[in-house]
Amino acid sequence: MSSKKALVTLAGDASIDDILECLERDGGCIVKNMLPQVTIDGLWSDLADVLDVAPNGDGSFVGRKTKRISGLFSRSRHMQNLITQPQFFGAAEKHLCTPFKYWLDGVQHVSTPALQMS
């Protein structure tokens, strides 16, 4: 018996809060027409050769059908279009840049992470 659950598909005008709700509840979502087709085609074209030779994951942590590659920004100029897409960037910023408290030498501090893309 499989307990796999399909990802929710959201409309292209989905709010960042709707995207984050799915991300937190389900681990991800699909946003229709989030990227222009030219960006998607460019990513596939630029990354196809390296994806063809990349091995599949070898366990439940990485996934058995997941392919991991590095250096995406040096491999495709289309990555900039992905990471600057307003819904993608907004959801990443809101999810990752949440202030957190920590103690250092008996003093409580608050820090807010910042997104950095390189």
Side-chain angles (χ1 to χ4, degrees):
M1 178 185 259
S2 176
S3 63
K4 291 183 181 179
K5 182 179 175 184
L7 290 175
V8 170
T9 298
L10 299 174
D13 62 352
S15 72
I16 291 169
D17 287 335
D18 289 342
I19 293 169
L20 285 172
E21 180 183 331
C22 289
L23 179 65
E24 291 174 15
R25 183 189 62 232
D26 304 332
C29 65
I30 298 167
V31 180
K32 283 188 161 193
N33 304 314
M34 188 176 102
L35 293 172
Q37 192 61 45
V38 67
T39 299
I40 295 167
D41 292 344
L43 286 165
W44 278 116
S45 176
D46 294 344
L47 302 174
D49 290 343
V50 70
L51 284 168
D52 285 343
V53 297
N56 286 336
D58 60 1
S60 60
F61 178 74
V62 194
R64 299 196 191 289
K65 295 182 180 179
T66 301
K67 294 191 175 200
R68 296 174 64 125
I69 57 175
S70 61
L72 294 174
F73 291 92
S74 66
R75 296 179 191 275
S76 178
R77 64 182 174 82
H78 299 282
M79 283 299 299
Q80 181 176 349
N81 296 336
L82 169 63
I83 64 164
T84 59
Q85 196 280 346
Q87 290 158 303
F88 183 91
F89 184 86
E93 184 175 47
K94 195 166 184 179
H95 183 69
L96 298 172
C97 297
T98 303
F100 64 94
K101 296 177 183 177
Y102 64 97
W103 289 87
L104 179 63
D105 293 329
V107 178
Q108 188 177 46
H109 300 270
V110 177
S111 184
T112 302
L115 290 182
Q116 178 179 341
M117 295 162 246
S118 55

